[in-house]
Each structure stands twice: as C-alpha cells, then as structure tokens.
Amino acid sequence: MATSSLAFINSLFLFFLFLLQSSITTSSQQYTIGVNYGTLADNLPPPSQVAEFLQTQTTIDRIKLFDANPDILKAFANTNIFITVSVANGDILQLTKLPAAQAWISSNILPFYPQTKINRIAVGNEIIHYGDKNLIAHLLPAMKSIHSALNLANITDIQVSTPHSLGILSLSEPPSLGRFRRGYDKVIFSPILKFHRDTKSPFMINPYPYFGFSEKTLNYALFKENSGVFDKNTGKIYTNMFDAQLDAVYSAMKRLGYGDVDIVVAETGWPSIGEANQPAVNLENAVSYNGNLVKHVNSGIGTPLMPGRKFETYIFSLFNENLKPGLTDEKNFGLFKPDLTPVYDVGILRNGEASGPSTSPAPSESDNLWCVPKLGASEVLLQANIDFVCSHGIDCTPIQDGGPCYEPNTIMSHSAFAMNAYYQTEGRNDFNCDFANTGMVITSDPSYDTCKYVS
C-alpha cells in the first residue's frame, strides 16, 4: 500500500512538473517584439500590403505609429495586430482642454476602434528631450485630458503614455545610481509616474546603445562577448548596454517610489548603412544588435535589477526611410526594404524567410542579390565556409590583411564576403548560398566604404 501511494505521488509530481515546463515553454514563445512603422519615404508599399505582410509573414503582433494615419488604421482592421498611435507634439497644447481631446478621439480613434486593435496612445514624442518648457508643462495635462476623453467614450482598454529619450536622466552609470534630471524629478516625473500607476499604463523609454557606445564599448553595446561592467553598489555584472540603460531608468523610477510601474521600450535599433566615417554602422552590427535584442527580450531573463521581466519592445524601424532628415544612418534603420524583402533577418520571419504579400511580385533574376551568413551561424561553420571558398579558385585577397574588406577583422564579415563571391561566381542559385544552412540571400547591398560586394 505504501509503495503504491509513493508511486502515485511520484506520478502526480511528474505530471505537475510537466505542466510547469509546458507553461514555461509557452511563456518563452510569447513574442513581445514590435516595430515602429515610420512613413518618411516616397517608395513605401500601400498599408494594406504591409498589414498582410506583417500578419502572414512575420511574428510581429504590434506596431507603433508616429501619427494616427487613417489609411494605416483602416488597413490594420481585423488583423489582431496591436497599434500604438501618436499625438503630434504640436497638438499637445490644445489637447489639454477636454473638448479638444474629445474631438481628437472622435476623429482618430472612434472610426477605427475596436476593429483595429488600438491599445495605446502616445502623447507626443521625447518632449522633455527638446526642452520646450511650455510643452513640458502641458504634457501631463494633455495625457490626463486624453485619458478622460477615452473614459467618456466608454473606452477603458486604451492606455495613454508618452515616450522619453534617455536624456531624462542626469546620471545613468552605474545603473543603480540612475536618477532623473534635477528639477524635473519631483516636479515632472513624479506626477507622470503617479498617472501611470493610477491608470495602469507604462512608462515609455527610447534606449539606444547606438547613441551611447564608444570604440571600447562597441561589443558591450552589440550584445557581443565582452568583459562586462561591474556595478559595485549592487554587485551586479552587466554584459550589455541595453540592460544597463533599462536599469538606470528603473533606478530613477524606484528612487521616486515608482519602481512598480511597467516599462515599455518604445524605440531602439541600429542602422545597417552609414557614412564613411561611421565604421560601426554596417550590416553585421545591425544584425548583431537587433538579432540579439530579439533573443534577449523574448528570453524572459529580464535585467540584473528586474530579473524575470519581459519588456514590450519596439524596434526602430520597419522600413528604411529615404526622406528622413539627417545623414545616411538615419535613413537606414529599417528591417525591410520598400519591396518588403528583408534588409536582414533578426528572427521575426515565419519559417525563417519572407516572401512578401501575394500581390507583391517576387524578385526576378535580374534583381541585385547577395549571399550573407544567417544570424546565429557558428563561427566554426563560417570559418569552414571561408576555407572552402578560398580553396576553390575564388579571389579572397580582399579579405586578407591590407585588403579593402579586411576590416572589420571578424569571421562573420570575412565569411559574408567569401560566401557572396562564391554565390555570384557559381551562379545565383539558392543551393549556392546554402553552405550547410548557414547562408541566406538578401536584396540589400552589404558593401561598405571601399569594400564592394559583387552582384
């Protein structure tokens, strides 16, 4: 009888262990990655194609807009993709008055909701960063007014927030000493954080390791192997700048008594093309940052000060935007080209590839195509690819010391050049870019500086 009872208890324990493991597995597969859908370009596909593409070809289940574009909101109806819409900075002053806020909701939300899953309104963007004291003073009143207008329209499932740059911090290193700018902490941020707590809405931030790295901290910014940064106040070791930036914001919030308010990463990313004097801006580094970001956020590991937390994160951006002001890098943050082919894959494509909507024609043989390594391919296999290519009559002098493609001196970079040279020489067939399932074909030219990839 005792043996039978013990066997039953053991079986019951194993059953509950199985349920627990299944729950953990399911949780780890829940994606929290979204994209910023910017439209500063004259060559983008129609919103209907974008909506179909994201729903059928990617794991993206949320987007963030920098306006309340009615064509986009209409196109995303019945797609089950969550949408954050934005109030223009210039509209903030008038929206502090409830009638104006009600009119804004009537024009920009009610015609589309709930068929379009609008779940958040971002009031302005990085208002405190720009330093307009009049806008700063009216930011929270506008947020409150928009929230009241939503309640009066019987809408209770749309959150109200506003994204902040990391310029809101006066101190961020080490992360445990993070604090808001003097004069803004108790006057501006305490009331904003109280609003978030009261309305169960998140504090939105735009952390960009891209804007904070130095030559010495590049690997730290890119989630690559590095010696780490030690915070002597907490005994925590940081292996990437993204976590450090999030924890600095968390420390600032906790210092004011609001460490329980949720954090949403409204923007973060890394450009794939830059100027000649921006050696850290290239395809390899964009793949490293955004690819590792996706893995890290979806792992559920959290940060050293916020272990186990998963952060809703929006990559900047969905498309390269050719009309965006600024230098080349500002125009090339996109994950996808305007024809909906990937600039590179960061793990958000279904079945590892995207074919574009059914109404978008497939690339023809005359289109420019390049072969590069897949994200996550082992360096052992990539080195084997280099050895194979260079021993089969392909000219590998460009990746030898002194050659135009020698820098950056990494296996990933050298294998990209070698694999593409083989692919172009042997015929642009998919099997010539397979390399034991370590290669993929892209349509964005990976050339940089004087290093030219043939096509």
Side-chain angles (χ1 to χ4, degrees), residues 96-380:
T96 58
K97 300 176 181 178
L98 184 57
Q102 288 179 289
W104 194 92
I105 295 297
S106 295
S107 297
N108 297 285
I109 302 298
L110 296 184
F112 314 101
Y113 172 90
Q115 289 78 15
T116 301
K117 296 179 70 171
I118 302 170
N119 69 328
R120 188 174 298 127
I121 298 173
V123 179
N125 186 52
E126 298 188 343
I127 293 299
I128 294 169
H129 168 80
Y130 293 109
D132 185 320
K133 293 184 178 180
N134 196 27
L135 283 182
I136 293 172
H138 288 86
L139 177 58
L140 181 57
M143 293 166 64
K144 289 181 175 179
S145 184
I146 288 288
H147 184 261
S148 296
L150 287 170
N151 286 336
L152 289 172
N154 295 317
I155 299 174
T156 59
D157 59 350
I158 295 181
Q159 300 173 330
V160 177
S161 187
T162 184
H164 304 279
S165 75
L166 288 194
I168 60 177
L169 300 179
S170 63
L171 186 64
S172 60
E173 296 179 4
S176 60
L177 296 184
R179 63 177 64 234
F180 294 116
R181 288 161 53 180
R182 294 185 182 278
Y184 287 80
D185 47 3
K186 295 182 180 179
V187 176
I188 301 297
F189 287 107
S190 278
I192 286 178
L193 288 166
K194 183 179 186 301
F195 170 82
H196 288 314
R197 177 185 283 167
D198 292 345
T199 62
K200 295 180 174 58
S201 57
F203 191 68
M204 300 177 75
I205 61 171
N206 297 342
Y208 275 95
Y210 172 65
F211 294 120
F213 80 93
S214 66
E215 184 178 352
K216 292 182 179 179
T217 60
L218 181 57
N219 282 354
Y220 180 59
L222 293 171
F223 294 90
K224 290 185 175 181
E225 186 176 347
N226 63 88
S227 57
V229 175
F230 180 68
D231 187 336
K232 65 180 180 180
N233 297 303
T234 59
K236 306 291 186 182
I237 296 178
Y238 288 82
T239 59
N240 66 83
M241 192 180 293
F242 178 79
D243 280 356
Q245 291 181 343
L246 260 62
D247 275 358
V249 172
Y250 169 74
S251 294
M253 295 167 62
K254 188 176 180 182
R255 195 176 302 277
L256 295 178
Y258 293 96
D260 59 313
V261 173
D262 283 342
I263 294 174
V264 163
V265 177
E267 285 183 42
T268 191
W270 199 284
S272 59
I273 303 175
E275 304 292 331
N277 62 349
Q278 295 178 303
V281 182
N282 53 55
L283 185 67
E284 179 185 354
N285 287 349
V287 170
S288 178
Y289 180 76
N290 285 322
N292 286 313
L293 171 77
V294 170
K295 290 180 180 178
H296 184 62
V297 170
N298 283 324
S299 70
I301 294 174
T303 70
L305 294 184
M306 296 178 283
R309 283 178 65 169
K310 296 186 76 172
F311 302 96
E312 184 179 333
T313 299
Y314 292 81
I315 295 176
F316 185 86
S317 59
L318 180 57
F319 294 112
N320 287 332
E321 298 174 69
N322 64 352
L323 299 183
K324 201 161 186 286
L327 299 176
T328 302
D329 59 330
E330 288 291 333
K331 307 175 193 295
N332 289 280
F333 272 87
L335 299 178
F336 296 94
K337 298 176 70 176
D339 64 358
L340 294 173
T341 55
V343 177
Y344 52 89
D345 182 11
V346 294
I348 60 172
L349 300 175
R350 296 188 186 276
N351 303 317
E353 59 181 351
S355 59
S358 56
T359 53
S360 179
S364 67
E365 285 297 311
S366 61
D367 288 335
N368 290 332
L369 301 172
W370 292 267
C371 177
V372 296
K374 285 183 178 178
L375 176 69
S378 77
E379 291 195 349
V380 172

Side-chain angles (χ1 to χ4, degrees), residues 22 26 40 48 60 83 170 177 185 218 258 278 315 397 399:
S22 299
T26 301
L40 294 177
S48 58
I60 293 296
I83 298 182
S170 63
L177 296 184
D185 47 3
L218 181 57
Y258 293 96
Q278 295 178 303
I315 295 176
T397 55
I399 58 174

Side-chain angles (χ1 to χ4, degrees), residues 44 67 235 391 424:
L44 298 184
D67 52 23
S391 66
Q424 304 296 344

